[in-house]
Amino acid sequence: MKTAIIIRYCEIHLKGKNRSFFEKMLKENIKRSLKGIDFKFTVMHSRYLIEDFDDNDYEYIIDKLGKIAGIHTVSRALVVESTFDNIVEAALLLCAEKIGTFKVETNRADKTFTPDSMETSRQLGGKVLEKFGGKLSVKVKNPDFIISVDIREDGKTFVYTDSIRCLSGMPVGSAGKGLLLISGGIDSPVAGYLTCKRGMRLDCLHFHSFPYTGEAAKEKVIELTRRVGEFNGGINLYVVSFTHIQEEIHKNCPEEFMITLMRRFMMRIAERLSKRIGSQAIITGESLGQVASQTIESITSSNSVVTMPVLRPLIMMDKIDIIEIARKIDTYETSILPYEDCCTVFLPKFPAIKPNLERVIKAESRLDVEGLIEEALKNIEKIEL
Ligand code: ATP
Ligand code: MG
């Protein structure tokens, strides 16, 4: 029996006149993600259909669809020529592994099909009970599963029992472009994933401090970026050397402002790069009060050097909830690998928790801010993942 995958989307329904823009984007994202696989793609009313694929590719396809923002659920359906006997055969096949309560729901687009929807559901329910009455029973309210029968106009019928919950959200690319500041930590990949899920296409920027941070630390960030890229339809990682900037701060400024000043440089460089590559926002993995550099005073200090929107998807989330998402998107185990990060180099014993902006600006005036930024941007490395 042939199988097909039904793809449903969610919030796009709310988009009124702009709906076709979102639908087109989702369709393109799906096709791009399944490049290299043979299948037939059909647009149905408010749904997409994937057919005529090799059964061996099923798991791969489902895995890919599970990473595409905008897809709400998918179902594996059996496809039969529309006769009542064929529908029964498909339903019995699906019920063979089921246990518990069910009901049948029939949707009959082909009005020439007999019996009508109500009667099809009733008679099919009877056939299922005849065969599996020992382990299955009918329950109209909140059954364990639903046997869905979709009788289409083209003479084919879909029969399915399960739908797999996917990412939901909005198609990547529908909400503009952003630049994610990605470290080797737990938080920033999660922030990136949440941003993709709301439809923003990402590029990533990482600061490394060679030779203080080594090749393994960089590889770790590349791996994390690649994982975020799975939700983004591929991704570019920009790597900037931060060493000279850190050395200059360390040499010229009070130790307590080390991190505060680093953050201000990161933001400025991110904004400059954003403008170059057409990015409309900076995204960070900051979470309010998590560490000294994430108090509202520290955030005020780093935010005040840029005019571009800075999006902080995790700002009000607890670490425990962030970790849960990191596990779900499979970045956690990589994030906790014990490599040094540029923020752990020259780490002050007592960082300013509530940096005074006037004092920060005064400390910073000892540096050639513009020259250091120019130098950092000149030696930027781009890695396509
Ligand atoms: P993360 O788990 O994302 O590393 P964190 O809890 O360690 O976050 P910080 O080190 O204060 O927090 O970093 C806050 C944010 O600043 C990060 O989420 C990230 O967006 C950005 N950031 C920190 N270090 C770097 C870096 N080396 N390169 C690029 N961005 C960075
Ligand atoms: Mg970190």
Side-chain angles (χ1 to χ4, degrees):
M1 213 171 275
K2 280 178 78 170
T3 62
I5 298 170
I6 301 168
I7 299 172
R8 303 176 195 83
Y9 42 81
C10 45
E11 257 180 73
I12 295 174
H13 294 301
L14 306 173
K15 291 292 167 191
K17 282 190 187 138
N18 289 327
R19 182 170 163 161
S20 64
F21 163 78
F22 291 92
E23 286 176 330
K24 188 163 163 271
M25 202 152 255
L26 181 57
K27 190 169 86 180
E28 278 167 15
N29 289 350
I30 293 171
K31 285 187 173 174
R32 185 167 340 125
S33 147
L34 297 179
K35 219 166 144 190
I37 297 270
D38 274 338
F39 63 94
K40 188 174 135 208
F41 188 88
T42 317
V43 179
M44 297 194 299
H45 182 65
S46 298
R47 288 179 299 178
Y48 299 130
L49 190 66
I50 292 185
E51 287 174 290
D52 296 342
F53 54 87
D54 186 333
D55 266 349
N56 294 324
D57 289 332
Y58 175 76
E59 294 297 335
Y60 178 84
I61 295 172
I62 291 295
D63 181 60
K64 287 285 180 187
L65 296 179
K67 290 175 176 149
I68 298 178
I71 297 179
H72 182 47
T73 59
V74 297
S75 292
R76 183 179 200 169
L78 295 177
V79 188
V80 295
E81 297 295 324
S82 299
T83 69
F84 183 71
D85 287 347
N86 286 345
I87 294 171
V88 172
E89 191 187 342
L92 293 181
L93 209 63
L94 292 171
C95 288
E97 285 166 15
K98 293 279 184 195
I99 190 158
T101 58
F102 76 98
K103 72 171 168 182
V104 182
E105 279 180 1
T106 304
N107 175 25
R108 195 178 52 130
D110 175 7
K111 298 296 178 201
T112 65
F113 183 90
T114 51
D116 68 12
S117 301
M118 284 274 281
E119 196 52 24
T120 300
S121 295
R122 204 185 61 77
Q123 289 185 23
L124 180 59
K127 293 283 183 190
V128 171
L129 287 177
E130 232 172 66
K131 174 122 189 192
F132 297 117
K135 60 168 187 161
L136 297 178
S137 61
V138 173
K139 190 174 168 217
V140 179
K141 264 195 186 163
N142 293 324
D144 295 327
F145 69 98
I146 295 172
I147 303 174
S148 299
V149 179
D150 213 338
I151 303 166
R152 300 196 316 181
E153 277 168 329
D154 64 357
K156 285 184 192 160
T157 295
F158 295 147
V159 187
Y160 54 92
T161 51
D162 296 298
S163 56
I164 305 165
R165 179 69 206 273
C166 298
L167 279 190
S168 301
M170 299 302 290
V172 165
S174 66
K177 268 186 75 176
L179 182 65
L180 172 70
L181 290 184
I182 190 159
S183 68
I186 296 168
D187 304 325
S188 40
V190 173
Y193 155 76
L194 291 174
T195 309
C196 294
K197 195 159 125 53
R198 285 312 298 168
M200 187 167 259
R201 195 178 291 286
L202 287 181
D203 286 298
C204 290
L205 170 60
H206 175 67
F207 296 93
H208 80 128
S209 313
F210 188 78
Y212 303 106
T213 61
E215 206 46 44
K218 186 172 159 191
E219 281 305 318
K220 171 181 167 181
V221 173
I222 291 174
E223 181 54 30
L224 288 172
T225 307
R226 186 178 288 122
R227 300 217 172 172
V228 174
E230 290 183 10
F231 300 96
N232 193 58
I235 204 157
N236 293 322
L237 171 64
Y238 295 88
V239 182
V240 166
S241 171
F242 213 42
T243 314
H244 191 206
I245 292 175
Q246 286 177 288
E247 286 170 346
E248 284 298 300
I249 302 173
H250 185 64
K251 209 160 58 188
N252 296 297
C253 307
E255 189 188 342
E256 60 171 326
F257 292 145
M258 185 74 212
I259 301 279
T260 311
L261 293 171
M262 275 167 54
R263 284 261 170 272
R264 287 163 65 89
F265 273 97
M266 282 186 182
M267 286 300 195
R268 288 187 181 104
I269 292 169
E271 187 173 60
R272 300 281 176 99
L273 178 63
S274 291
K275 285 181 178 161
R276 245 195 229 174
I277 62 175
S279 189
Q280 300 156 286
I282 297 165
I283 294 104
T284 78
E286 288 162 304
S287 162
L288 190 63
Q290 195 189 83
V291 287
S293 61
Q294 297 174 21
T295 60
I296 188 60
E297 290 82 1
S298 296
I299 289 174
T300 302
S301 152
S302 60
N303 213 132
S304 67
V305 295
V306 292
T307 54
M308 188 171 265
V310 181
L311 307 181
R312 300 178 174 87
L314 312 183
I315 195 71
M316 297 305 174
M317 282 177 72
D318 299 336
K319 194 78 183 185
I320 191 170
D321 296 323
I322 298 170
I323 289 175
E324 200 174 299
I325 300 177
R327 285 190 197 278
K328 199 175 83 183
I329 63 170
D330 210 15
T331 53
Y332 181 73
E333 295 298 331
T334 307
S335 289
I336 59 171
L337 293 173
Y339 299 119
E340 55 312 318
D341 175 68
C342 82
C343 295
T344 56
V345 179
F346 303 120
L347 192 68
K349 267 206 192 82
F350 301 105
I353 293 171
K354 298 181 175 189
N356 173 293
L357 196 51
E358 260 174 52
R359 288 187 57 219
V360 170
I361 292 169
K362 191 160 167 244
E364 200 175 57
S365 68
R366 296 185 200 149
L367 303 169
D368 173 14
V369 174
E370 206 38 50
L372 287 167
I373 291 174
E374 281 302 313
E375 180 193 311
L377 281 168
K378 221 183 276 167
N379 299 313
I380 202 159
E381 179 191 3
K382 181 180 175 185
I383 305 170
E384 289 175 27
L385 296 167

